[in-house]
Amino acid sequence: MKPLRPALLTLALLALTPAYAAPREAVPLDRDWQVRLDPADTVAAKAHPRETRWLPARVPGSVQQDLIAAKRVPDPFKGTNEAAIQWVGLSDWQFRTRLSVTPAMLARDHLDLVFDGLDTFATVRVNGTVLLSADNAHRRWRADAKPLLKAGANEILVTIASPIKQLAPLVLAEQHPLPGEYVSAFKDDPGDRQTSPYIRKPKYQYGWDWGPRIVTIGLWRPARLEAWDEARLDTLRVEQDALNEAEARLTARATIVADRARTVTLRTLLTAPDGTTQTIDRPVAVAPGSNAVAIPLTVATPQRWQPVGYGAQPLYTVATSLVVDGVESDRSQRRIGLRTVALDRRNGAFGFIVNGTSIFAKGANLIPFDSFPARVDRAEMQSLLTGARDAHMNMIRIWGGGYYLDDAFYEMADRMGLMIWQDFMFGGSVTPPDAAFRENVRIEADEQVARLGDHPSIVIWTGNNEVLSGWENWGDRKAFKTAIGPDEQERIGTGMAVLFDRVLRDTVTRNSPGTPYMPGSPSSDYEGPNDTDANGDRHFWDVWSGSKPVEQYLDHCPRFMSEYGFQSMPTMATIRDFAGPDDRKGRPLSADSAVMKAHQKFLSGEGNARLQLYLDQRLRPAKDFADFVYLTQVDQAQAISLAALHHRACRPVTMGSLFWQLNDVWPSVSWASIDHLGQWKLLQYEAKRFFAPQAIVAEHKDGATRVVLLSDATAPLPARWRLTVRDMTGATLSTREEAATLAPLSAATVVTLPDADLFGTAAPAQSYAVAELLVDGRTVSRTLVERLVPRDMAYPDPGLTLRRSGDTATITATNLARAVMIDMGDTPGQASDNGFDLLPGESVTVTLTGKQTPTLRTLAR
């Protein structure tokens, strides 16, 4: 191996400018890192002697990524390799780099080492002396290293302890350790007790029912050296104090960290969307330490940021410069949008009002993009958010078991008009009740809300995912409360109430005033029981997790459905990418293959039986594994479509529908609508239909069909609706058509027809109804009504043909073709539309990516 090369930090400006006037300089520490097993971890060193020698490391990154790159461990995303990487998270590691410091650099007042993310129990040494110790992966860590640096080469050594080993003594000492999320499938927690509740680290890395257990260790976000003199800007926030049609009154709030008492100047530049500017200079007397400064700003005739579908997304820029002795020494800026947001909580309601408009929230839950956050790039975030917007979603919920996303994500959401529901990072486990834990979280929360709170896309902060509802309702929590007794139960419960109702609520109030806060999801905000239809938001899992029929979705009109979901297989291209051509024993892949169970985390790998359960209830038998994949995607798309359209039809009682989940953290069998390769499942295509701005709902229940017309428009729309009954020969049995006016922001029932009135004497298996909504003479929404589940329908041979010419393909059906899938096979490729129904004689033309010849699949036997 080549010897470690000192990092060259080019700070020429510092040598040319007097120290008192030099600007703050930030030099990335992103090169020439190495990693090894900590020699003090003798057990791991004995088991893995090769890893006691230094090997190249990437920062930002993780030791797992470094070992994969060096081919020391297999890729856990491939095959059944997950088990082979578990030892890494059970070991202690050291990262090192060297930096060359010049006399000019040492002449600066401060040389801070800044780490945006240390995962998690980390000790940073400079030339052998401890500089700082970290214990929270969600915080930024800063310390002045100048006293420890010298001219020439300096060693930075970061030692990171295994979080599992670090917490083992604490957990083993507890008679009743705190309940966590998912017990390790690898039996590597101490005594099968979970350590995850006691640490501020992304919870999903300990394993979830959609993701692997990869307990990462490393410098997972950027590190840098910052050189500054006398004073620096620490934070900048922009508060919106008032907004009306005539003006917006803002306050730019800056925090200045100063060495000594003196007068500096804050120069604030406000740039409007059209490029016009205004500048305000303000002299500020600062004292040693942290100084809060407020700069009032006024915007005449402000342009409002609107959610997608409700207007444009104009953005303003507020840039603040710190001027010392006439020289700009530091600078920070924010992109902001002007808007008002309120949460309607009247009588248990849960609905978002943006700029005075009641918005029905349509969207999905977002889990982390990858098990290794450092390798997620802008293109991946952009693709996923574009897919959400293209499917007519207007809201994404950032689930609380992951991590606070990069600024770039929220900037994209701002530009696209996607509303963001932001959980704090608590994923289900009971939280420690001690004050030190809450103080650690308070610092984390202050930092994160100050960083993100200006984004107009963030329309709510919620304290946790299912912590409070789990404490109230889950069986293991009830058993835990019985075991610990009433006094300890009160202490832990009070600790959670203080954390979620006071600490985090206060953080949002101080750092993002005007943004609603709820103590959890689901939550009634302490007004009564959590997770009910009557009050607050709802997580509904009777369907899928509870094995109840999908028709149970029709029995509930919650105030806001923030979680519900239904699994399916990923695309065959993704399956081949992680599984290969067979089950590693030469047999064709099946749902029971070891590799498919390894990538199915629901029910510890047995979740594919749940897929089969629902297929047996609703759809025909699969012809082969690829057909099984297709059928699970049809089942998922139809189930979530039934639920989402019902939620929309429940308006104004129900004001939001966010299905679980948009994306995958690794290639897996899951609830995602877009798989880990970025391939759209049929659910994502169906979402484009059931979230359309204007749509028709035709619900068949209890021997009758209810027709509901939906509109998200803010003005009335003239329209027509039509119900056509046909038999399987293609003959039209009856037609009903009427004019209607779609009221603004509405769901209106236009007719309810008993089966005898709609279908007459037509046999249920041999007939169906087509419900259509027409605007300006064009069909904008269409759905089919069937009295039987698809399994029992007598679908004819659809007579499908596909003609491809370059990047377009035309699909034609002779007879009814249900849930037509353009199957791109084992290599990546997508169609512009998929999973659609074709009526007899109907054609559709789509664009294709990928050069392979697709096949067609339908529900016909």
Side-chain angles (χ1 to χ4, degrees):
M1 176 181 290
K2 294 181 180 179
L4 188 66
R5 178 168 61 89
L8 299 179
L9 305 182
T10 305
L11 296 175
L13 183 60
L14 303 184
L16 298 174
T17 309
Y20 68 85
R24 175 162 66 161
E25 293 288 330
V27 182
L29 299 179
D30 57 0
R31 297 169 56 189
D32 303 311
W33 284 89
Q34 294 179 322
V35 65
R36 71 174 181 183
L37 271 173
D38 184 352
D41 189 346
T42 55
V43 174
K46 183 177 180 180
H48 304 277
R50 191 181 179 196
E51 274 61 54
T52 61
R53 298 188 293 273
W54 294 103
L55 69 148
R58 294 191 64 178
V59 171
S62 66
V63 65
Q64 284 90 344
Q65 291 170 261
D66 300 329
L67 293 171
I68 294 168
K71 301 189 184 305
R72 304 289 181 87
V73 295
D75 185 343
F77 283 18
K78 305 293 186 182
T80 57
N81 293 336
E82 182 188 353
I85 206 170
Q86 296 306 310
W87 68 271
V88 181
L90 291 166
S91 307
D92 302 335
W93 296 88
Q94 291 183 328
F95 294 79
R96 76 173 182 183
T97 190
R98 286 184 184 149
L99 55 89
S100 180
V101 177
T102 66
M105 295 166 63
L106 289 173
R108 300 299 299 266
D109 290 350
H110 299 271
L111 293 175
D112 289 356
L113 280 176
V114 184
F115 300 91
D116 286 341
L118 292 170
D119 193 1
T120 298
F121 294 120
T123 301
V124 179
R125 291 179 173 86
V126 177
N127 294 326
T129 300
V130 173
L131 174 69
L132 65 86
S133 295
D135 62 356
N136 187 328
H138 299 299
R139 283 175 56 184
R140 174 179 295 151
W141 298 90
R142 173 191 291 270
D144 191 349
K146 181 179 175 180
L148 304 181
L149 294 170
K150 63 182 188 297
N154 295 261
E155 182 183 68
I156 309 299
L157 181 71
V158 182
T159 302
I160 303 182
S162 161
I164 298 171
K165 287 191 345 186
Q166 179 87 358
L167 290 168
L170 182 155
V171 174
L172 288 171
E174 293 278 358
Q175 182 179 2
H176 300 290
L178 297 173
E181 292 89 7
Y182 290 89
V183 175
S184 171
F186 304 99
K187 309 300 181 184
D188 51 3
D189 265 327
D192 216 22
R193 298 173 173 213
Q194 297 180 58
T195 56
S196 62
Y198 299 89
I199 188 173
R200 293 307 297 144
K201 174 178 172 61
K203 301 300 184 184
Y204 78 102
Q205 294 171 347
Y206 290 85
W208 218 267
D209 59 1
W210 36 254
R213 182 178 176 91
I214 303 178
V215 183
T216 55
I217 288 175
L219 289 75
W220 73 284
R221 275 187 162 153
R224 60 191 172 278
L225 179 74
E226 288 190 1
W228 59 282
D229 301 312
E230 295 197 35
R232 64 177 174 83
L233 280 171
D234 189 47
T235 62
L236 173 65
R237 297 187 295 105
V238 182
E239 292 182 5
Q240 179 182 287
D241 303 313
L243 175 65
N244 56 47
E245 299 305 312
E247 67 174 12
R249 295 195 299 277
L250 313 176
T251 301
R253 297 192 180 275
T255 304
I256 302 172
V257 176
D259 277 347
R260 61 185 177 87
R262 63 164 303 156
T263 298
V264 298
T265 299
L266 267 188
R267 176 169 297 145
T268 303
L269 176 67
L270 174 64
T271 304
D274 62 3
T276 58
T277 63
Q278 58 174 289
T279 302
I280 298 175
D281 281 1
R282 177 174 176 179
V284 178
V286 296
S290 181
N291 299 264
V293 182
I295 308 294
L297 303 168
T298 301
V299 178
T301 58
Q303 301 177 52
R304 294 190 185 225
W305 181 94
Q306 297 283 4
V308 61
Y310 294 86
Q313 293 78 44
L315 297 172
Y316 293 76
T317 302
V318 178
T320 297
S321 301
L322 178 64
V323 180
V324 181
D325 295 328
V327 176
E328 181 181 291
S329 65
D330 207 352
R331 180 180 178 84
S332 183
Q333 76 172 36
R334 295 286 194 178
R335 295 289 299 278
I336 65 169
L338 305 178
R339 54 99 177 103
T340 60
V341 58
L343 188 64
D344 181 5
R345 293 286 292 120
R346 292 171 296 179
N347 300 316
F350 194 109
F352 291 91
I353 302 173
V354 182
N355 297 320
T357 300
S358 293
I359 308 290
F360 189 99
K362 304 178 297 185
N365 289 259
L366 184 84
I367 64 173
F369 289 89
D370 199 286
S371 293
F372 306 113
R375 71 182 184 185
V376 177
D377 59 21
R378 294 179 66 95
E380 185 174 354
M381 293 188 286
Q382 181 79 41
S383 176
L384 204 66
L385 287 179
T386 300
R389 181 197 61 193
D390 290 350
H392 301 301
M393 298 183 193
N394 59 29
M395 177 174 280
I396 301 294
R397 175 179 174 237
I398 311 300
W399 168 78
Y403 56 91
Y404 305 94
L405 298 175
D406 294 343
D407 296 272
F409 174 88
Y410 301 94
E411 292 164 3
M412 293 174 192
D414 292 343
R415 292 193 296 270
M416 293 186 189
L418 287 168
M419 296 182 290
I420 299 298
W421 170 317
Q422 180 67 57
D423 282 0
F424 282 98
M425 291 301 117
F426 293 89
S429 61
V430 175
T431 56
D434 55 284
F437 179 85
R438 290 196 296 274
E439 176 61 13
N440 196 349
V441 171
R442 184 197 63 77
I443 297 170
E444 164 199 322
D446 274 352
E447 178 183 307
Q448 295 295 348
V449 181
R451 177 174 72 93
L452 300 174
D454 290 344
H455 289 284
S457 54
I458 297 179
V459 296
I460 189 172
W461 289 83
T462 49
N464 65 79
N465 170 77
E466 297 183 351
V467 175
L468 299 177
S469 59
W471 179 252
E472 186 176 291
N473 299 318
W474 294 355
D476 67 328
R477 273 47 169 177
K478 292 179 179 179
F480 173 75
K481 288 187 282 189
T482 299
I484 62 177
D487 291 344
E488 186 66 2
Q489 176 181 335
E490 177 69 17
R491 188 173 79 94
I492 293 173
T494 299
M496 287 192 289
V498 172
L499 175 61
F500 297 120
D501 192 35
R502 297 183 189 174
V503 174
L504 296 182
R505 192 188 299 272
D506 179 63
T507 293
V508 174
T509 300
R510 284 186 289 103
N511 293 291
S512 188
T515 303
Y517 172 82
M518 288 286 282
S521 179
S523 174
S524 65
D525 203 8
Y526 300 100
E527 293 178 352
N530 294 311
D531 204 12
T532 70
D533 286 349
N535 193 327
D537 66 316
R538 185 87 200 268
H539 292 190
F540 184 78
W541 286 103
D542 287 2
V543 177
W544 184 262
S545 294
S547 300
K548 299 297 177 60
V550 298
E551 289 75 20
Q552 284 216 355
Y553 284 132
L554 302 181
D555 295 336
H556 297 271
C557 282
R559 310 314 300 266
F560 192 109
M561 189 69 89
S562 51
E563 268 195 34
Y564 62 101
F566 199 96
Q567 272 200 358
S568 75
M569 289 276 166
T571 61
M572 282 302 300
T574 298
I575 292 172
R576 293 303 186 200
D577 185 67
F578 75 75
D582 52 45
D583 69 355
R584 311 289 173 166
K585 294 182 180 179
R587 297 173 302 202
L589 281 176
S590 72
D592 293 327
S593 296
V595 67
M596 296 308 301
K597 287 188 173 184
H599 287 254
Q600 164 63 279
K601 293 301 180 180
F602 180 64
L603 295 181
S604 302
E606 298 304 320
N608 292 339
R610 189 65 50 86
L611 290 170
Q612 188 63 56
L613 170 74
Y614 279 104
L615 291 185
D616 292 343
Q617 287 181 4
R618 301 192 68 255
L619 303 182
R620 62 167 172 77
K623 300 170 185 175
D624 53 30
F625 181 62
D627 196 46
F628 176 80
V629 170
Y630 157 71
L631 290 171
T632 67
Q633 290 199 20
V634 172
D635 222 7
Q636 179 191 42
Q638 291 185 349
I640 300 302
S641 178
L642 180 75
L645 286 171
H646 176 69
H647 298 152
R648 295 185 69 186
C650 288
R651 182 177 187 158
V653 172
T654 303
M655 286 303 295
S657 182
L658 309 180
F659 67 76
W660 186 271
Q661 64 210 55
L662 182 63
N663 62 315
D664 273 328
V665 74
W666 78 319
S668 65
V669 186
S670 80
W671 296 266
S673 59
I674 301 176
D675 72 24
H676 197 253
L677 282 190
Q679 299 280 106
W680 284 27
K681 299 185 191 179
L682 295 186
L683 171 56
Q684 186 68 12
Y685 293 99
E686 190 66 22
K688 195 171 184 178
R689 292 184 275 271
F690 62 65
F691 280 153
Q694 284 75 46
I696 189 168
V697 183
E699 287 183 355
H700 186 264
K701 182 181 178 183
D702 299 330
T705 298
R706 179 173 72 115
V707 178
V708 184
L709 305 184
L710 310 173
S711 180
D712 292 335
T714 56
L717 282 176
R720 299 189 69 82
W721 62 270
R722 181 164 61 213
L723 273 177
T724 305
V725 178
R726 307 182 76 159
D727 67 18
M728 293 302 176
T729 69
T732 297
L733 304 182
S734 65
T735 299
R736 297 169 183 261
E737 183 171 339
E738 291 185 16
T741 297
L742 305 182
L745 308 170
S746 67
T749 299
V750 292
V751 70
T752 299
L753 295 170
D755 287 348
D757 292 347
L758 178 58
F759 292 98
T761 60
Q766 299 282 346
S767 59
Y768 59 95
V770 182
E772 297 172 277
L773 176 64
L774 298 90
V775 177
D776 294 330
R778 181 176 61 91
T779 299
V780 298
S781 178
R782 186 176 79 181
T783 189
L784 268 61
V785 182
E786 295 171 331
R787 287 171 282 173
L788 306 177
V789 295
R791 176 197 64 195
D792 297 328
M793 296 296 292
Y795 297 130
D797 181 342
L800 287 172
T801 60
L802 183 149
R803 300 188 309 278
R804 181 168 186 172
S805 176
D807 292 335
T808 65
T810 299
I811 299 93
T812 302
T814 303
N815 298 308
L816 173 67
R818 287 283 272 129
V820 178
M821 182 188 199
I822 305 167
D823 189 345
M824 302 301 286
D826 293 352
T827 55
Q830 294 192 159
S832 58
D833 196 9
N834 217 337
F836 44 78
D837 299 321
L838 289 176
L839 300 179
E842 195 170 36
S843 295
V844 65
T845 299
V846 299
T847 58
L848 302 176
T849 62
K851 299 302 181 184
Q852 64 269 39
T853 300
T855 57
L856 299 177
R857 298 183 183 276
T858 75
L859 290 181
R861 293 179 182 270

